Amino acid sequence: MKKNEVPQDKSSLSAINMKELCYATDENGNYTTALSEGWEPKTIALTNAMEDINERIAAAKIQVQQGKISPIAYYMELHKMDIGILASYVGKWQWQVKRHFKPSVFQKLSGKVLQQYATTFGITVAELKNSTTN
């Protein structure tokens, strides 16, 4: 893409007075950089992705309130993690994290394990145990 063709569509970046750095070619065909206010297709894709994430967070919140899953699953969704990422952060196997999603297993977790999850989510153990999903 040529430097003068870098998209300048209004996006959430322009709302906060920021621009994205993009690679482009100059008049001699050499690579250079250019600032972009946004690109409509990218904005649409990001908006759709955020809506999907927010739906997953809301669904996890409801399942926690119904006692179907533990608060660990809710906080994982809230922090935009998947099981692999969460497992690596707490130093557990993925199957262990999945098991901790069960409310009956969650209730029996040691203070040390709860602290690992709480530290990962940036909350206290009390907040994790009391599931402040409000």
Side-chain angles (χ1 to χ4, degrees), residues 53 56-57 60 69-87 97-98 101 117 120-121 128:
I53 290 169
R56 289 197 330 248
I57 293 169
I69 59 173
S70 76
I72 293 171
Y74 167 74
Y75 283 107
M76 179 186 77
E77 293 291 349
L78 186 65
H79 291 279
K80 300 169 186 66
M81 296 177 174
D82 62 17
I83 291 174
I85 291 172
L86 179 57
V97 172
K98 285 182 188 176
F101 286 178
Y117 283 112
T120 299
F121 298 135
L128 181 63

Side-chain angles (χ1 to χ4, degrees), residues 1-14 18-25 33-43:
M1 171 182 336
K2 294 181 181 177
K3 190 172 183 175
N4 61 353
E5 296 173 350
V6 172
Q8 298 297 331
D9 301 332
K10 297 292 180 193
S11 70
S12 58
L13 289 176
S14 60
M18 292 188 66
K19 294 186 177 188
E20 180 180 21
L21 185 64
C22 299
Y23 285 102
T25 55
T33 57
L35 294 176
S36 171
E37 289 189 21
W39 189 34
E40 186 178 355
K42 187 175 183 177
T43 301

Side-chain angles (χ1 to χ4, degrees), residues 17-126:
N17 202 22
M18 292 188 66
K19 294 186 177 188
E20 180 180 21
L21 185 64
C22 299
Y23 285 102
T25 55
D26 62 15
E27 58 278 350
N28 298 323
N30 297 322
Y31 282 101
T32 185
T33 57
L35 294 176
S36 171
E37 289 189 21
W39 189 34
E40 186 178 355
K42 187 175 183 177
T43 301
I44 292 169
L46 287 174
T47 300
N48 290 342
M50 288 307 298
E51 287 174 1
D52 182 49
I53 290 169
N54 289 333
E55 287 174 9
R56 289 197 330 248
I57 293 169
K61 180 178 178 179
I62 291 169
Q63 288 182 315
V64 169
Q65 291 169 341
Q66 293 173 343
K68 294 180 179 177
I69 59 173
S70 76
I72 293 171
Y74 167 74
Y75 283 107
M76 179 186 77
E77 293 291 349
L78 186 65
H79 291 279
K80 300 169 186 66
M81 296 177 174
D82 62 17
I83 291 174
I85 291 172
L86 179 57
S88 68
Y89 276 36
V90 295
K92 302 283 182 205
W93 295 100
Q94 289 185 29
W95 67 266
Q96 291 174 305
V97 172
K98 285 182 188 176
R99 190 167 182 272
H100 296 165
F101 286 178
K102 295 179 182 177
S104 60
V105 174
F106 175 76
Q107 296 298 326
K108 297 175 187 171
L109 290 177
S110 70
K112 180 182 175 186
V113 173
L114 289 171
Q115 185 61 55
Q116 289 173 314
Y117 283 112
T119 300
T120 299
F121 298 135
I123 58 175
T124 65
V125 171

